[in-house]
Amino acid sequence: MSDDLEKLYQSTYTAVVRFLYRKVWDAERAEDLAQEVFVRALAHRPDKPRAWVFAVAANLARDEARAAVRRKRHLTLLKGDPISQPTVSPSADDSVEHDEQMASVQEALSTLTARDREILLLWDAGLSYPEIAGQTGLAVGAVGTTLARARRRLVDAHDRQQKPTRDNAAHS
Amino acid sequence: MRHIPEDELHAYLDQGLSRSQCVEIESHLAECSSCRATRDGIAALRDRTTALLARLAPPRRFPSAFETLRGLAAQRVDTRRRRLRAMAWVASLVAALGLGWTASTMVGPGRTSVALNDPPAAAEAARIVASADSVAADTAPVDSATARPAQPAAARAPDPAPAPTPVRSRVRRVPAPARNVAFEAAAREDSIRAAKLAILDPAPAVELEPLEGPQPAGGEQFAGMWRTMSWDGAQSEAGQSLPRIDGLPVLRVQVQANDRGNRPLMVVAQQLASGQVIQTIEGPARDVSELLSRRTATSPDGALSVTISDPAPAADQAMAMQMGDRMLAITGALPSDSLRAMIRRINAEMRSK
């Protein structure tokens, strides 16, 4: 019982952190939340721990995002500025190039609908179709359809960003 | 020939299809170059997606040791359990007070009508106790789960309706039309147990603020003559015959020693669910009547009924009963019927000891 959770921790911790990171865009926060997820799993002993862990992670990330919006709104109100949509900002990293690459993917990801994004990220975190279906309420048969659309959109959006520079080169 | 839709190819590559679906797709792919091309395109798209998403990764760090998390989880379960235990205690105290109140209005052979009688209180108290218990039962499996799967909480939940054994013979006299007798008896038993706990457990008793009742028995007129004692101390001094209502938390015991060598004058203050304080007084008849002497007295049916004359806001009543050279009295803002019922009961109990 306990060993199962430990194995799960070792095999999925990184995936959980990454999953959370793509939602909160803060490496440290993602790790804190991931740890919280596993502490809760230990106290809760879920039947299907892997799916459970990601479901709780998704919930924590959602709460986090709401809190962030509230904070932001509060700050802008204090400043008297018009309320603006919160924009994600990638955390500082060593390499500028890495930052740029990351920002472009991040932007491409933000063009997806919330549901498509969620399912793509769950898939990328290693969840199976039934697990994704169980967590999102989607029919198992619809997961493939959603993933097909999400992948296409992500790649298209990313390519569109790169296009202007390439177009200039191609037309010369 | 039907070509394979793209989303099915996604599902196929993602291993999201059943065995039979896979076989079907594979046999089609074997003879359809167009679908094979589509499949290769989708495989490339998948790889690109994975590669793009891989850039969205936080810098890798070593995760904390699992033991650390285990410690954190244990800590958390522990705090939660402690909090729940405290909640359960408060609930049981509330239940005890509630029961004490209903019980106190139900005693007495005449079962005189009592204006303040509140039948739902016991049921409500039982509900609180029951819910507190079930909450505690819910968490109970958590701490034992380190070694085995959680047991269903229901298995640990207390029997909701034990047999309606009357706690005291008097209980049988309680008329309970259109009410669940078994449930009430269970509620009563729960509450009495809780009440006894509340009285016997010294720690919670400390938390009860001694309320200054409208009529302070240890007031200025007796300053220097009274001692406030612990329940245990009073019991060792007065034996088992301390005057009190069973089932109510004791706020304060005051003892006035005398030089005549017999049992001292005692005042036991107890609290009702409503927050009111009733005081039971037992002692040499002269001292008790002296204590009550500031009040205007009337004597209906042999008992001494006294109404306070001082400007206390509540209509504080007193009822006294003389047995030889001793006198038993009870005071509190209750209908005289209730007081009379209580004093008869205390009297009967003290005689039986």
Side-chain angles (χ1 to χ4, degrees), chain A:
Chain A
M1 195 70 198
S2 195
D3 284 348
D4 284 355
L5 268 184
E6 187 166 359
K7 265 181 226 149
L8 182 76
Y9 178 69
Q10 271 142 18
S11 63
T12 60
Y13 177 78
T14 312
V16 174
V17 172
R18 203 163 47 215
F19 176 73
L20 283 161
Y21 176 71
R22 291 163 182 178
K23 287 164 172 286
V24 301
W25 303 114
D26 178 330
E28 241 172 76
R29 195 69 195 127
E31 280 183 35
D32 287 349
L33 291 177
Q35 186 162 317
E36 171 68 19
V37 165
F38 281 98
V39 169
R40 287 193 191 185
L42 273 166
H44 199 270
R45 300 277 157 188
D47 291 337
K48 296 174 180 169
R50 210 162 79 101
W52 189 92
V53 155
F54 281 99
V56 170
N59 285 339
L60 287 182
R62 202 169 304 134
D63 293 348
E64 188 84 356
R66 284 200 197 116
V69 170
R70 269 200 302 277
R71 265 199 305 277
K72 176 109 182 163
R73 194 163 291 169
H74 185 59
L75 283 176
T76 49
L77 282 176
L78 281 182
K79 280 188 279 176
D81 290 341
I83 296 167
S84 60
Q85 284 290 80
T87 50
V88 283
S89 54
S91 62
D93 212 298
D94 323 351
S95 115
V96 178
E97 194 193 355
H98 179 93
D99 267 9
E100 278 172 3
Q101 283 189 346
M102 207 172 109
S104 67
V105 181
Q106 211 176 324
E107 209 179 309
L109 194 62
S110 71
T111 64
L112 304 195
T113 66
R115 164 148 287 206
D116 286 3
R117 187 165 53 236
E118 178 79 8
I119 282 155
L120 184 62
L121 291 182
L122 282 174
W123 165 255
D124 198 62
L127 263 66
S128 69
Y129 274 35
E131 281 171 333
I132 294 172
Q135 180 163 337
T136 58
L138 219 62
V140 182
V143 176
T145 317
T146 311
L147 274 176
R149 182 175 57 234
R151 283 167 175 154
R152 181 73 65 200
R153 282 205 186 149
L154 179 75
V155 170
D156 284 355
H158 188 258
D159 286 353
R160 229 176 293 129
Q161 288 170 30
Q162 317 292 320
K163 219 173 175 182
T165 45
R166 269 189 223 152
D167 270 1
N168 292 346
H171 283 291
S172 60

Side-chain angles (χ1 to χ4, degrees), chain B residues 182-198:
Chain B
F183 177 73
E184 281 210 354
R188 217 167 289 134
E189 271 187 344
D190 269 353
S191 310
I192 285 169
R193 216 176 303 126
K196 281 184 178 151
L197 201 84

Side-chain angles (χ1 to χ4, degrees), chain B residues 77-93 132-133 135-137 139-140 143 197:
Chain B
V77 169
D78 205 44
T79 2
R80 200 181 337 148
R81 214 184 316 139
R82 220 175 301 138
R83 210 178 302 140
L84 279 165
R85 221 181 288 139
M87 274 168 52
W89 191 87
V90 170
S92 70
L93 180 63
D133 276 351
V135 172
T139 51
D143 46 307
L197 201 84

Side-chain angles (χ1 to χ4, degrees), chain B residues 104 107-109 168 170 240-248 263 266 268 270 278-283 319-321 323 327-331 334 338-353:
Chain B
S104 71
V107 295
R168 299 182 193 290
R170 279 178 215 88
Q240 291 301 306
S241 54
L242 274 169
R244 65 177 167 125
I245 318 266
D246 262 0
L248 285 184
R263 266 186 334 123
M266 283 171 294
V268 178
Q270 290 174 285
I278 51 170
Q279 300 190 84
T280 320
I281 306 160
E282 204 273 340
M319 186 74 71
M321 204 179 232
M323 307 160 282
M327 190 181 267
L328 180 65
I330 187 163
T331 73
L334 291 176
S338 307
L339 290 178
R340 193 178 305 132
M342 281 188 214
I343 203 169
R344 284 197 176 119
R345 178 177 160 197
I346 296 167
N347 187 28
E349 269 171 19
M350 288 181 73
R351 275 186 194 179
S352 69
K353 272 167 192 161

Side-chain angles (χ1 to χ4, degrees), chain B residues 52-93:
Chain B
L52 283 179
L53 287 176
R55 294 189 198 161
L56 297 180
R60 265 198 91 154
R61 262 177 281 190
F62 287 110
S64 330
F66 193 66
E67 285 311 313
T68 316
L69 299 195
R70 207 172 274 171
L72 284 171
Q75 234 174 36
R76 197 169 299 180
V77 169
D78 205 44
T79 2
R80 200 181 337 148
R81 214 184 316 139
R82 220 175 301 138
R83 210 178 302 140
L84 279 165
R85 221 181 288 139
M87 274 168 52
W89 191 87
V90 170
S92 70
L93 180 63

